Amino acid sequence: MDIRPERPADAAAVAVLLTRAFGGPNEAALVARLHADGAAAIALVACIGGAVAGHILFSPMIAPMRAQALAPLAVAPEHQRRGIGAALVRAGMARAAAEGCQAVFVLGDPAYYRRFGFSAESARGFASPYAGPHLMVAALVGGNLPVTTGEIVHAPAFSAL
């Protein structure tokens, strides 16, 4: 498996992957809109034998600290449960930290994302239309969030979902 930055030539394969992984076109449309809006801060693909088997995207947020949103994360159904998603999350978070990001927010399954340091409890102080048990945050600097309350706003593309 090779993890690398997404390239424009990957767009069609990523759209097919997202549609298959999520059972519909919404996440593919989200990724296309984030790219069109210039809101794809980090976009990585995992390739197996040269074919796109996984994808992850991070987008900038308005927040009381330097933060990004992780969404979406997808792995082709035939490659799931092999560590590809975990490798993408780790690679993306490392890159976000290297770029000076202080926190990453995700809306997802706590049982899955907890292993990467995400916490719903830590996200409770942040106001968001996505607030609830599935909104989580992970600190990227020193294990602590520099701010624990405030409003967070995802890129406009998310409101179209």
Side-chain angles (χ1 to χ4, degrees), residues 3 5 13 38 40 47 49 51 57 59 62 65 70 73 84 92 96 99 149 158:
I3 294 178
C47 296
L57 191 139
S59 58
I62 297 171
M65 65 194 122
L70 183 172
L73 165 65
I84 295 170
E99 293 177 4
T149 62
F158 285 90

Side-chain angles (χ1 to χ4, degrees), residues 104-143:
V104 172
F105 286 85
V106 68
L107 188 65
D109 179 4
Y112 181 78
Y113 286 101
R114 195 174 298 123
R115 71 179 98 172
F116 306 108
F118 284 94
S119 165
E121 185 175 300
S122 297
R124 283 191 191 135
F126 295 97
S128 166
Y130 307 109
H134 297 283
L135 179 67
M136 295 165 278
V137 64
L140 295 181
V141 180

Side-chain angles (χ1 to χ4, degrees), residues 138-150:
L140 295 181
V141 180
N144 295 313
L145 294 171
V147 178
T148 58
T149 62

Side-chain angles (χ1 to χ4, degrees), residues 50-80:
V52 174
H55 178 266
I56 193 167
L57 191 139
F58 293 74
S59 58
M61 301 179 73
I62 297 171
M65 65 194 122
R66 289 198 64 203
Q68 293 182 357
L70 183 172
L73 165 65
V75 175
E78 66 273 17
H79 293 296
Q80 291 176 0

Side-chain angles (χ1 to χ4, degrees), residues 18 22 24-34 57 59 69-73 107 129-130 154-161:
L18 291 165
F22 287 100
N26 291 345
E27 283 74 12
L30 171 64
V31 167
R33 172 106 189 260
L34 288 166
L57 191 139
S59 58
L70 183 172
L73 165 65
L107 188 65
Y130 307 109
H154 285 71
F158 285 90
S159 63
L161 281 180

